Amino acid sequence: MLLNLPQISIPGIKPICFLVFLALVSCKNVRNSTITIKEDWKVHFIDSTLYGADGIRKGFFNNDSITDFIVGGEEYGATRVYLGLENGAFTQIEFPSPDVEDAIFHDINNDGKQEVFTFSEGKSQYIGFHYLDDHDVWNHQKISISEDVKWMYSAWADLDNDGSKEIVVGSKGENGMIGFLKPIGTQLQSLEWHLVKLANSGWIMSIECTDLNDDGLPDILISDRKGIENTGIKWYKNPGGNIEKNSWEEQVLGLKGKEPMFLTLTDFNKDGLEDLLVAEIHGGVFLLKRENKAEVKYREEKLFEYPDFAGGRGKSVACLDLNNDGENEIITSYEEAEDKYGLIASKFDDQDKEWNHWKLSSIKGIKYDKILPHDMDSDGDLDLLNTEERENKNGLGVIWYENPTLNK
């Protein structure tokens, strides 16, 4: 059935009404689980009108206790922030961003207000900076030094521990690079931006800022699927000191010569060390197992190939306990999923010594993106958010799949 949610009006914010699709679907029990994993989860539409919805992030945009989300609509030409409301609905703010590939929000100057950054890679190639002025009116700027680069992905971190955040950026193509934007100044309308290039890149898919060598400084971890010199999972060691001038050492950690898509950090074998899970475009899911804490070295192992009923290209991977049995499942998303499944759960059967796979989505949806786990209905189990940009030439849009584990 379809539920019409009431319009929500907030000053300075465009009111919207979202249709939440609550189609009941059949569920099949699967053996060898303490609490059964079920197939074909209910899909809910946060926004079906954002043409070309391309990746979703979360945070607290308006400083309340309800999680908010941000999504860029590549073909639509705008980015939307979805502000969560107490009744489970959302209202939105829209930002102009033609050809947007990625979008994040962050309080860059620590004034309690969020800024929005949009990253475009089509005919429009630049990083957009969106901020509230002293009259609480949104201003939109192109960061001029970012033009003529196909921007793909981003993250933020205080790389030099000076209290100011840098925006780590990655791109693709002829001018592809991995680097960071450093803001200079205090007034948002007159910030000077330094773009620091660390290395060439072919096609950056993932960026994670994490202290890999335990020296108190965030390092940069990436997946480069079309490397200029080599592809793979790469680590850029934070040199400390003057991060703009000091050299960032590059090290390939795994999947060299392969085509890694999105990666995720997780303690896969629960030994206290953070491992890496990577979706390779055709080759399946790979584990880069951290061997010890003293050295940044990983042992590469292929966990499983994608099942036949999955989409043709692996896109992202997540690791979480779906059914609250104390054991993690691996969730994968897919592209090229015409008449196939775009969201799948996998678990190793210790008895049969093989991986079992379950269909979480229906066959609707062609191009899924990075998986975002989050308890959307506050029932104690993790649901799965995603975006889909190709179904019926418009895309399913911004969606979440309801975990049926703890449903009453």
Side-chain angles (χ1 to χ4, degrees):
M1 61 181 175
L2 291 174
L3 298 182
N4 288 316
L5 298 178
Q7 289 192 345
I8 307 296
S9 180
I10 296 178
I13 299 176
K14 180 181 177 181
I16 59 170
C17 177
F18 289 100
L19 297 180
V20 182
F21 179 60
L22 302 174
L24 297 177
V25 292
S26 62
C27 297
K28 299 179 182 178
N29 292 339
V30 181
R31 66 185 181 90
N32 296 332
S33 292
T34 305
I35 305 173
T36 56
I37 298 174
K38 299 179 180 180
E39 295 190 335
D40 293 342
W41 294 13
K42 294 179 187 178
V43 61
H44 300 257
F45 290 81
I46 294 175
D47 185 0
S48 62
T49 69
L50 189 65
Y51 179 26
D54 198 1
I56 185 168
R57 310 286 193 102
K58 70 177 181 178
F60 296 97
F61 189 84
N62 54 353
N63 299 318
D64 63 11
S65 60
I66 305 174
T67 304
D68 309 308
F69 302 94
I70 184 169
V71 180
E74 186 172 5
E75 282 77 16
Y76 184 80
T79 292
R80 288 175 178 169
V81 172
Y82 302 98
L83 302 175
L85 304 171
E86 289 185 354
N87 64 355
F90 297 86
T91 189
Q92 75 176 22
I93 314 174
E94 186 171 289
F95 301 88
S97 49
D99 303 308
V100 60
E101 181 68 23
D102 188 31
I104 58 174
F105 58 76
H106 179 61
D107 181 3
I108 195 72
N109 62 339
N110 299 316
D111 67 350
K113 299 178 181 179
Q114 300 288 327
E115 288 75 53
V116 170
F117 294 85
T118 55
F119 303 84
S120 297
E121 62 95 8
K123 292 181 180 179
S124 301
Q125 299 175 15
Y126 66 89
I127 298 173
F129 177 48
H130 313 264
Y131 64 92
L132 283 170
D133 63 19
D134 293 337
H135 303 287
D136 282 343
V137 174
W138 284 102
N139 284 250
H140 312 284
Q141 292 182 355
K142 289 183 181 180
I143 297 178
S144 59
I145 58 171
S146 71
E147 293 187 86
D148 300 321
V149 177
K150 295 179 178 180
W151 299 106
M152 296 301 298
Y153 204 69
S154 61
W156 59 265
D158 186 357
L159 297 175
D160 51 6
N161 288 344
D162 67 350
S164 175
K165 308 298 191 299
E166 287 73 44
I167 306 297
V168 184
V169 291
S171 57
K172 73 174 184 180
E174 183 179 354
N175 299 321
M177 60 168 284
I178 180 70
F180 61 87
L181 275 169
K182 186 173 181 63
I184 307 298
T186 57
Q187 300 299 315
L188 294 177
Q189 66 271 21
S190 58
L191 285 178
E192 178 185 349
W193 293 95
H194 291 184
L195 179 58
V196 181
K197 179 180 177 179
L198 302 184
N200 292 327
S201 68
W203 187 330
I204 298 298
M205 286 297 297
S206 283
I207 301 174
E208 298 287 343
C209 298
T210 183
D211 185 3
L212 288 176
N213 59 345
D214 202 29
D215 66 353
L217 294 169
D219 306 300
I220 297 174
L221 178 68
I222 68 163
S223 57
D224 188 350
R225 62 181 285 197
K226 299 283 187 183
I228 299 297
E229 297 176 355
N230 49 52
T231 65
I233 306 302
K234 303 176 186 180
W235 168 47
Y236 294 91
K237 180 182 177 181
N238 192 326
N242 189 332
I243 59 172
E244 294 188 58
K245 293 185 177 180
N246 293 342
S247 177
W248 290 65
E249 178 187 345
E250 177 187 288
Q251 179 182 344
V252 179
L253 301 179
L255 274 75
K256 185 174 182 179
K258 297 182 175 68
E259 192 169 352
M261 304 295 274
F262 284 110
L263 64 84
T264 190
L265 292 154
T266 182
D267 183 0
F268 181 73
N269 56 352
K270 300 182 180 179
D271 63 354
L273 300 174
E274 203 162 40
D275 310 304
L276 307 177
L277 283 175
V278 187
E280 206 274 345
I281 191 165
H282 294 298
V285 171
F286 285 78
L287 169 67
L288 299 184
K289 183 182 180 299
R290 182 77 179 256
E291 295 185 330
N292 60 71
K293 191 173 182 179
E295 297 178 285
V296 185
K297 291 185 179 180
Y298 297 81
R299 187 177 74 245
E300 182 179 314
E301 173 188 352
K302 185 174 180 176
L303 295 183
F304 59 83
E305 294 185 355
Y306 302 129
D308 292 340
F309 53 79
R313 295 171 21 147
K315 188 65 177 284
S316 78
V317 59
C319 185
L320 58 146
D321 183 0
L322 279 183
N323 57 347
N324 289 5
D325 67 350
E327 298 180 6
N328 285 334
E329 287 74 45
I330 291 179
I331 317 302
T332 42
S333 66
Y334 298 85
E335 300 177 345
E336 296 184 358
E338 292 94 339
D339 299 319
K340 291 196 172 185
Y341 295 85
L343 202 61
I344 288 170
S346 304
K347 193 170 189 174
F348 188 72
D349 187 320
D350 288 319
Q351 203 170 27
D352 293 343
K353 304 301 179 186
E354 64 180 14
W355 286 89
N356 292 329
H357 308 283
W358 301 275
K359 307 159 186 173
L360 301 184
S361 68
S362 71
I363 60 171
K364 289 186 177 180
I366 297 170
K367 188 177 181 182
Y368 286 79
D369 209 87
K370 189 174 183 180
I371 299 160
L372 178 61
H374 183 74
D375 186 0
M376 290 291 290
D377 48 7
S378 303
D379 66 351
D381 54 25
L382 286 170
D383 308 298
L384 301 173
L385 290 95
N386 214 297
T387 56
E388 198 287 317
E389 56 180 308
R390 292 288 173 85
E391 182 77 14
N392 293 328
K393 298 182 179 180
N394 180 81
L396 298 176
V398 187
I399 52 179
W400 65 276
Y401 290 88
E402 182 181 349
N403 191 332
T405 296
L406 298 182
N407 280 359
K408 303 299 183 184

